[in-house]
Amino acid sequence: EAGVTQSPTHLIKTRGQQATLRCSPISGHTSVYWYQQALGLGLQFLLWYDEGEERNRGNFPPRFSGRQFPNYSSELNVNALELEDSALYLCASKRGTDTQYFGPGTRLTVL
Amino acid sequence: RKEVEQDPGPFNVPEGATVAFNCTYSNSASQSFFWYRQDCRKEPKLLMSVYSSGNEDGRFTAQLNRASQYISLLIRDSKLSDSATYLCVVNTGGSYIPTFGRGTSLIVHP
């Protein structure tokens, strides 16, 4: 069974630009979670999508947004990039109340 | 007080040693608990769930103490490959948003 996939692996942007990160969940999983992990810090919850709807969001500004598509894949958009947005962005999927499984992440660097 | 707290370490131990980590949580309504392992610059991977009665998986033993609101992870006969960061994860009843600790770093040396 294929795991959670994310693209791109690495992304380099400059301040003020926009970034789009993508995630495909494990087949059969309807929930997708996005996390930010800055260097040396823990995982910070960003967004939770389930059945195509945004169910919850963490303490991040509105320039962090996303969506979930009918096939349950998801996209995270970060507008007006700032230097401190540089981090590893992790996507995780799960089905119901099962545990989460993570993708390999997208490493975003903002110059 | 943070919702989930872990000693960041690093715990520096020789091969073959036994090492234990604790993780405390603040919300008494927390219902499910997990340990994840994260290697440097990689994604977290589920190590084991933590059950009320305690559970064991090979060299790894997880315990839950609801009265004192902590979970623990014991690693016996440490291997070099056990070197990683161990993340404690807590789910609170009614919330589908897990809370991650910042992790405990383990370094196993020859």
Side-chain angles (χ1 to χ4, degrees), chain A residues 27-102:
Chain A
S27 177
H29 287 194
T30 60
S31 276
V32 170
Y33 293 74
W34 287 95
Y35 296 89
Q36 181 196 67
Q37 188 175 35
L39 194 63
L41 297 180
L43 273 74
Q44 301 296 314
F45 166 69
L46 267 165
L47 290 157
W48 169 36
Y49 292 95
D50 183 60
E51 297 285 357
E53 301 285 331
E54 181 181 304
R55 302 295 184 181
N56 209 326
R57 66 179 292 128
N59 189 23
F60 280 84
R63 58 190 186 83
F64 287 83
S65 65
R67 53 182 171 164
Q68 187 178 35
F69 299 99
N71 66 355
Y72 304 116
S73 67
S74 178
E75 200 171 83
L76 173 69
N77 294 293
V78 188
N79 293 321
L81 284 165
E82 300 178 2
L83 295 178
E84 50 267 34
D85 296 334
S86 295
L88 178 67
Y89 288 84
L90 291 160
C91 165
S93 77
K94 73 172 191 175
R95 177 174 51 202
T97 57
D98 292 348
T99 55
Q100 295 188 350
Y101 294 88
F102 284 85

Side-chain angles (χ1 to χ4, degrees), chain A residues 33 35 37 40 99-100 103, chain B residues 34 36 38 41 43 96 98 102:
Chain A
Y33 293 74
Y35 296 89
Q37 188 175 35
T99 55
Q100 295 188 350
Chain B
F34 307 90
Y36 279 72
Q38 186 173 26
R41 302 176 73 85
E43 75 272 25
Y96 287 83
R102 289 183 57 173

Side-chain angles (χ1 to χ4, degrees), chain B residues 36-55:
Chain B
Y36 279 72
R37 170 199 168 122
Q38 186 173 26
D39 293 290
C40 187
R41 302 176 73 85
K42 299 281 191 179
E43 75 272 25
K45 293 186 178 177
L46 179 65
L47 181 65
M48 58 198 303
S49 303
V50 186
Y51 302 122
S52 297
S53 54
N55 47 300

Side-chain angles (χ1 to χ4, degrees), chain B residues 6-22 35-40 47 59-61 73-88 102-110:
Chain B
Q6 295 183 251
D7 180 344
F11 285 64
N12 209 317
V13 303
E15 272 186 292
T18 295
V19 62
F21 314 131
N22 279 347
W35 285 103
Y36 279 72
R37 170 199 168 122
Q38 186 173 26
D39 293 290
C40 187
L47 181 65
R59 299 181 292 108
F60 298 84
T61 301
L73 178 67
L74 180 79
I75 305 175
R76 289 181 298 278
D77 188 23
S78 298
K79 311 291 184 192
L80 296 176
S81 56
D82 293 334
S83 297
T85 297
Y86 291 83
L87 304 175
C88 165
R102 289 183 57 173
T104 296
S105 174
L106 171 66
I107 301 170
V108 181
H109 58 82

